[in-house]
Amino acid sequence: MDRDQGGRSERGFAQRTPQVMPQRHQWLTVPNLLSILRLVGVPVFLWLILTGQDGWALAVLLLSGVSDYLDGKIARHYGLVSKVGEYLDPIADRLYIVSTVLGLGYREIIPWWLVLILVARDAFTAGMYPLARSYRLPAPPVLFVGKAATFNLLYAFPLLLLGVQESVVGQIALPIGWAFVWWGAGLYWLSALAYAVQVADMVRQRRAQWQAVDT
C-alpha cells in the first residue's frame, strides 16, 4: 500500500467511525492537568497505604475521585476533549485501581483472589493494545459502563478503608464499600468485554477497507 492509499484509508476509516476520534488535539488543558495530578498522586497514595497512614491515604483517594469527576465534566462542558486526555484519564484510573487493590491486598483488607480478578481485567484489556496498534486503530471511545465501573471501584476503596476503623462509621461503611466492590468488579469485566467487541469491530472495518483499497 503506498502512502497516498494509506492516507485515503485513514480518512475513510475516520469517516466511518467518527465517534472514536478526539474532538481536539490540545494537551495543555485543565482536564489534562487534573489527570496529571492524579497520576502524581498514585505513588503518594501507595506509600501512605503501605505505611498504614489510612487517614491521608483516604484523603488522596477522595481527591482522586473528585478530580476524576471534574476532569470529565470540564472537558465535555467546555469542549476540551483531547487525544492526550483520552489516554491520561483511563491510565490514571487504572493505576489508582491497581495500586489500591494491591495496597488493600497487602494490608489484608481485601482477599488476594479479588486482587487477581481486578488485575486480570486490566491485563485482558492491555492485551488488546498490540492488536489495535498493528492495525493503526484509534483509541475506542470511553463507554458509560466503563466509567460506571471506575466510579464504583474508586468509591468502594475509601469506604473499605473507613470500614477498617473500629467505630460506628466503620461498621456502616464496610458493607456499603463491599456492595460497591461487587458492582464495580462486575461492571469492570463487562466493560472489558465491551471494549473487546469494539476493537474486533474496528479490526473488521480496517481489514475490509484495506481489501477495498488493494482491489
Side-chain angles (χ1 to χ4, degrees), residues 90 94 121 124-125 128-129 139-147 150 187-202:
R94 300 291 82 75
R121 184 273 187 189
F124 175 76
T125 55
M128 291 184 265
Y129 293 156
V142 176
L143 300 174
F144 174 78
V145 65
K147 294 301 292 184
T150 301
L187 293 174
Y188 206 42
W189 266 101
L190 182 61
S191 66
L193 297 176
Y195 285 132
V197 171
Q198 280 186 311
V199 171
D201 183 60
M202 293 165 69

Short mmCIF file of all heavy atoms in Angstrom, two decimals, residues 90 94 121 124-125 128-129 139-147 150 187-202:
data_model
loop_
_atom_site.label_atom_id
_atom_site.label_comp_id
_atom_site.label_asym_id
_atom_site.label_seq_id
_atom_site.Cartn_x
_atom_site.Cartn_y
_atom_site.Cartn_z
N PRO A 90 -7.96 7.35 31.46
CA PRO A 90 -8.06 5.92 31.80
C PRO A 90 -6.78 5.37 32.42
O PRO A 90 -6.85 4.45 33.25
CB PRO A 90 -8.38 5.25 30.46
CG PRO A 90 -7.96 6.22 29.41
CD PRO A 90 -8.16 7.58 30.02
N ARG A 94 -6.73 3.39 35.89
CA ARG A 94 -6.19 2.04 36.03
C ARG A 94 -5.11 1.98 37.10
O ARG A 94 -5.06 1.04 37.89
CB ARG A 94 -5.61 1.56 34.70
CG ARG A 94 -6.57 1.49 33.53
CD ARG A 94 -7.62 0.40 33.64
NE ARG A 94 -8.73 0.79 34.45
CZ ARG A 94 -9.70 1.64 34.07
NH1 ARG A 94 -9.66 2.20 32.89
NH2 ARG A 94 -10.71 1.92 34.87
N ARG A 121 -8.38 -8.26 34.82
CA ARG A 121 -9.18 -7.47 33.88
C ARG A 121 -8.30 -6.47 33.14
O ARG A 121 -8.41 -6.29 31.93
CB ARG A 121 -10.31 -6.77 34.64
CG ARG A 121 -11.27 -6.00 33.74
CD ARG A 121 -10.81 -4.59 33.46
NE ARG A 121 -11.79 -3.80 32.76
CZ ARG A 121 -11.54 -2.60 32.25
NH1 ARG A 121 -10.32 -2.07 32.37
NH2 ARG A 121 -12.48 -1.92 31.63
N PHE A 124 -6.20 -8.18 30.64
CA PHE A 124 -7.00 -8.55 29.47
C PHE A 124 -7.12 -7.39 28.49
O PHE A 124 -6.93 -7.55 27.29
CB PHE A 124 -8.39 -9.00 29.95
CG PHE A 124 -9.36 -9.30 28.84
CD1 PHE A 124 -9.26 -10.48 28.11
CD2 PHE A 124 -10.37 -8.40 28.52
CE1 PHE A 124 -10.15 -10.76 27.08
CE2 PHE A 124 -11.27 -8.67 27.49
CZ PHE A 124 -11.15 -9.86 26.78
N THR A 125 -7.44 -6.19 29.00
CA THR A 125 -7.57 -5.03 28.13
C THR A 125 -6.21 -4.62 27.56
O THR A 125 -6.12 -4.20 26.40
CB THR A 125 -8.20 -3.85 28.87
OG1 THR A 125 -7.44 -3.56 30.05
CG2 THR A 125 -9.63 -4.16 29.27
N MET A 128 -5.13 -6.17 24.33
CA MET A 128 -5.71 -5.73 23.05
C MET A 128 -4.90 -4.62 22.40
O MET A 128 -5.06 -4.33 21.21
CB MET A 128 -7.15 -5.23 23.29
CG MET A 128 -8.13 -6.31 23.66
SD MET A 128 -9.81 -5.65 23.81
CE MET A 128 -9.89 -5.33 25.56
N TYR A 129 -4.00 -3.98 23.13
CA TYR A 129 -3.27 -2.85 22.59
C TYR A 129 -2.37 -3.22 21.41
O TYR A 129 -2.34 -2.49 20.41
CB TYR A 129 -2.44 -2.17 23.69
CG TYR A 129 -3.27 -1.49 24.75
CD1 TYR A 129 -2.78 -1.26 26.03
CD2 TYR A 129 -4.57 -1.06 24.47
CE1 TYR A 129 -3.54 -0.65 27.00
CE2 TYR A 129 -5.35 -0.45 25.44
CZ TYR A 129 -4.83 -0.24 26.70
OH TYR A 129 -5.59 0.37 27.67
N ALA A 139 -8.00 5.05 19.63
CA ALA A 139 -8.48 4.53 20.91
C ALA A 139 -10.00 4.43 20.89
O ALA A 139 -10.67 5.36 20.43
CB ALA A 139 -8.04 5.44 22.05
N PRO A 140 -10.56 3.31 21.34
CA PRO A 140 -12.02 3.21 21.41
C PRO A 140 -12.58 4.26 22.35
O PRO A 140 -11.92 4.67 23.31
CB PRO A 140 -12.25 1.79 21.97
CG PRO A 140 -10.98 1.06 21.72
CD PRO A 140 -9.90 2.08 21.80
N PRO A 141 -13.79 4.73 22.10
CA PRO A 141 -14.39 5.73 23.00
C PRO A 141 -14.65 5.13 24.37
O PRO A 141 -14.89 3.93 24.51
CB PRO A 141 -15.70 6.10 22.29
CG PRO A 141 -16.03 4.91 21.45
CD PRO A 141 -14.71 4.36 21.00
N VAL A 142 -14.59 5.99 25.38
CA VAL A 142 -14.87 5.54 26.75
C VAL A 142 -16.36 5.24 26.86
O VAL A 142 -17.20 6.06 26.51
CB VAL A 142 -14.46 6.62 27.76
CG1 VAL A 142 -14.84 6.19 29.18
CG2 VAL A 142 -12.97 6.89 27.67
N LEU A 143 -16.68 4.06 27.34
CA LEU A 143 -18.08 3.64 27.46
C LEU A 143 -18.63 4.03 28.83
O LEU A 143 -17.90 4.12 29.81
CB LEU A 143 -18.19 2.13 27.28
CG LEU A 143 -17.71 1.58 25.93
CD1 LEU A 143 -17.75 0.06 25.95
CD2 LEU A 143 -18.56 2.11 24.79
N PHE A 144 -19.94 4.21 28.87
CA PHE A 144 -20.59 4.54 30.14
C PHE A 144 -20.38 3.43 31.16
O PHE A 144 -20.15 3.70 32.35
CB PHE A 144 -22.08 4.77 29.91
CG PHE A 144 -22.84 4.98 31.20
CD1 PHE A 144 -22.80 6.20 31.86
CD2 PHE A 144 -23.58 3.94 31.76
CE1 PHE A 144 -23.49 6.39 33.05
CE2 PHE A 144 -24.26 4.11 32.95
CZ PHE A 144 -24.23 5.34 33.59
N VAL A 145 -20.44 2.17 30.70
CA VAL A 145 -20.29 1.07 31.64
C VAL A 145 -18.89 1.07 32.23
O VAL A 145 -18.69 0.72 33.41
CB VAL A 145 -20.60 -0.29 30.95
CG1 VAL A 145 -19.58 -0.60 29.85
CG2 VAL A 145 -20.63 -1.43 31.96
N GLY A 146 -17.89 1.49 31.45
CA GLY A 146 -16.53 1.57 31.96
C GLY A 146 -16.38 2.66 33.00
O GLY A 146 -15.73 2.47 34.04
N LYS A 147 -16.99 3.82 32.75
CA LYS A 147 -16.94 4.89 33.73
C LYS A 147 -17.72 4.51 34.99
O LYS A 147 -17.32 4.85 36.10
CB LYS A 147 -17.51 6.18 33.14
CG LYS A 147 -16.69 6.77 32.01
CD LYS A 147 -15.27 7.09 32.44
CE LYS A 147 -15.19 8.22 33.44
NZ LYS A 147 -13.78 8.57 33.79
N THR A 150 -15.51 2.23 37.04
CA THR A 150 -14.47 3.00 37.72
C THR A 150 -15.06 3.79 38.89
O THR A 150 -14.46 3.86 39.97
CB THR A 150 -13.80 3.96 36.73
OG1 THR A 150 -13.23 3.20 35.65
CG2 THR A 150 -12.71 4.77 37.40
N LEU A 187 -19.09 -4.74 36.63
CA LEU A 187 -19.09 -3.77 35.54
C LEU A 187 -17.70 -3.62 34.91
O LEU A 187 -17.58 -3.36 33.71
CB LEU A 187 -19.58 -2.41 36.05
CG LEU A 187 -21.05 -2.34 36.49
CD1 LEU A 187 -21.35 -0.98 37.11
CD2 LEU A 187 -21.97 -2.59 35.30
N TYR A 188 -16.68 -3.80 35.72
CA TYR A 188 -15.29 -3.70 35.24
C TYR A 188 -15.03 -4.73 34.15
O TYR A 188 -14.47 -4.43 33.10
CB TYR A 188 -14.37 -3.89 36.43
CG TYR A 188 -13.01 -3.23 36.31
CD1 TYR A 188 -12.88 -1.95 35.79
CD2 TYR A 188 -11.86 -3.88 36.77
CE1 TYR A 188 -11.64 -1.35 35.72
CE2 TYR A 188 -10.62 -3.28 36.70
CZ TYR A 188 -10.51 -2.01 36.17
OH TYR A 188 -9.29 -1.42 36.10
N TRP A 189 -15.45 -5.96 34.42
CA TRP A 189 -15.26 -7.02 33.43
C TRP A 189 -16.22 -6.86 32.25
O TRP A 189 -15.87 -7.16 31.11
CB TRP A 189 -15.42 -8.40 34.08
CG TRP A 189 -14.10 -8.95 34.52
CD1 TRP A 189 -13.60 -8.96 35.79
CD2 TRP A 189 -13.11 -9.54 33.70
NE1 TRP A 189 -12.36 -9.52 35.80
CE2 TRP A 189 -12.03 -9.90 34.53
CE3 TRP A 189 -13.03 -9.82 32.33
CZ2 TRP A 189 -10.87 -10.50 34.04
CZ3 TRP A 189 -11.87 -10.42 31.84
CH2 TRP A 189 -10.81 -10.76 32.68
N LEU A 190 -17.43 -6.40 32.53
CA LEU A 190 -18.38 -6.16 31.44
C LEU A 190 -17.84 -5.11 30.48
O LEU A 190 -17.95 -5.26 29.25
CB LEU A 190 -19.73 -5.71 32.02
CG LEU A 190 -20.85 -5.47 30.99
CD1 LEU A 190 -21.17 -6.75 30.24
CD2 LEU A 190 -22.10 -4.95 31.70
N SER A 191 -17.25 -4.06 31.01
CA SER A 191 -16.68 -3.03 30.15
C SER A 191 -15.50 -3.56 29.34
O SER A 191 -15.31 -3.19 28.18
CB SER A 191 -16.23 -1.83 30.99
OG SER A 191 -15.15 -2.17 31.84
N ALA A 192 -14.72 -4.47 29.94
CA ALA A 192 -13.59 -5.06 29.21
C ALA A 192 -14.09 -5.87 28.02
O ALA A 192 -13.52 -5.80 26.92
CB ALA A 192 -12.77 -5.95 30.14
N LEU A 193 -15.16 -6.64 28.21
CA LEU A 193 -15.73 -7.40 27.11
C LEU A 193 -16.31 -6.48 26.04
O LEU A 193 -16.19 -6.75 24.84
CB LEU A 193 -16.81 -8.36 27.64
CG LEU A 193 -16.32 -9.43 28.62
CD1 LEU A 193 -17.50 -10.25 29.15
CD2 LEU A 193 -15.31 -10.35 27.94
N ALA A 194 -16.92 -5.37 26.48
CA ALA A 194 -17.46 -4.41 25.51
C ALA A 194 -16.34 -3.77 24.69
O ALA A 194 -16.48 -3.57 23.48
CB ALA A 194 -18.26 -3.33 26.25
N TYR A 195 -15.21 -3.45 25.33
CA TYR A 195 -14.07 -2.90 24.60
C TYR A 195 -13.53 -3.92 23.60
O TYR A 195 -13.12 -3.56 22.49
CB TYR A 195 -12.97 -2.48 25.57
CG TYR A 195 -13.27 -1.21 26.31
CD1 TYR A 195 -13.11 -1.13 27.69
CD2 TYR A 195 -13.71 -0.07 25.65
CE1 TYR A 195 -13.39 0.04 28.39
CE2 TYR A 195 -13.99 1.10 26.34
CZ TYR A 195 -13.83 1.16 27.70
OH TYR A 195 -14.10 2.31 28.38
N ALA A 196 -13.51 -5.18 24.00
CA ALA A 196 -13.03 -6.23 23.08
C ALA A 196 -13.92 -6.31 21.85
O ALA A 196 -13.43 -6.48 20.72
CB ALA A 196 -13.00 -7.58 23.81
N VAL A 197 -15.23 -6.19 22.03
CA VAL A 197 -16.15 -6.19 20.90
C VAL A 197 -15.90 -4.97 20.01
O VAL A 197 -15.89 -5.07 18.77
CB VAL A 197 -17.62 -6.20 21.39
CG1 VAL A 197 -18.58 -5.97 20.24
CG2 VAL A 197 -17.93 -7.51 22.09
N GLN A 198 -15.66 -3.81 20.62
CA GLN A 198 -15.36 -2.61 19.86
C GLN A 198 -14.11 -2.78 19.01
O GLN A 198 -14.10 -2.46 17.81
CB GLN A 198 -15.15 -1.42 20.80
CG GLN A 198 -16.42 -0.78 21.32
CD GLN A 198 -16.11 0.46 22.13
OE1 GLN A 198 -15.26 0.44 23.01
NE2 GLN A 198 -16.79 1.54 21.83
N VAL A 199 -13.05 -3.29 19.63
CA VAL A 199 -11.79 -3.46 18.91
C VAL A 199 -11.96 -4.46 17.77
O VAL A 199 -11.47 -4.25 16.66
CB VAL A 199 -10.68 -3.92 19.88
CG1 VAL A 199 -9.43 -4.32 19.11
CG2 VAL A 199 -10.35 -2.80 20.86
N ALA A 200 -12.68 -5.55 18.02
CA ALA A 200 -12.91 -6.55 16.97
C ALA A 200 -13.67 -5.95 15.80
O ALA A 200 -13.36 -6.21 14.63
CB ALA A 200 -13.67 -7.75 17.55
N ASP A 201 -14.66 -5.12 16.10
CA ASP A 201 -15.43 -4.46 15.03
C ASP A 201 -14.55 -3.49 14.24
O ASP A 201 -14.64 -3.42 13.01
CB ASP A 201 -16.62 -3.72 15.63
CG ASP A 201 -17.50 -3.09 14.57
OD1 ASP A 201 -18.03 -3.83 13.71
OD2 ASP A 201 -17.68 -1.85 14.59
N MET A 202 -13.71 -2.75 14.92
CA MET A 202 -12.81 -1.82 14.25
C MET A 202 -11.79 -2.55 13.38
O MET A 202 -11.43 -2.10 12.29
CB MET A 202 -12.11 -0.94 15.28
CG MET A 202 -13.06 0.01 16.01
SD MET A 202 -12.34 0.74 17.52
CE MET A 202 -11.10 1.81 16.82
#
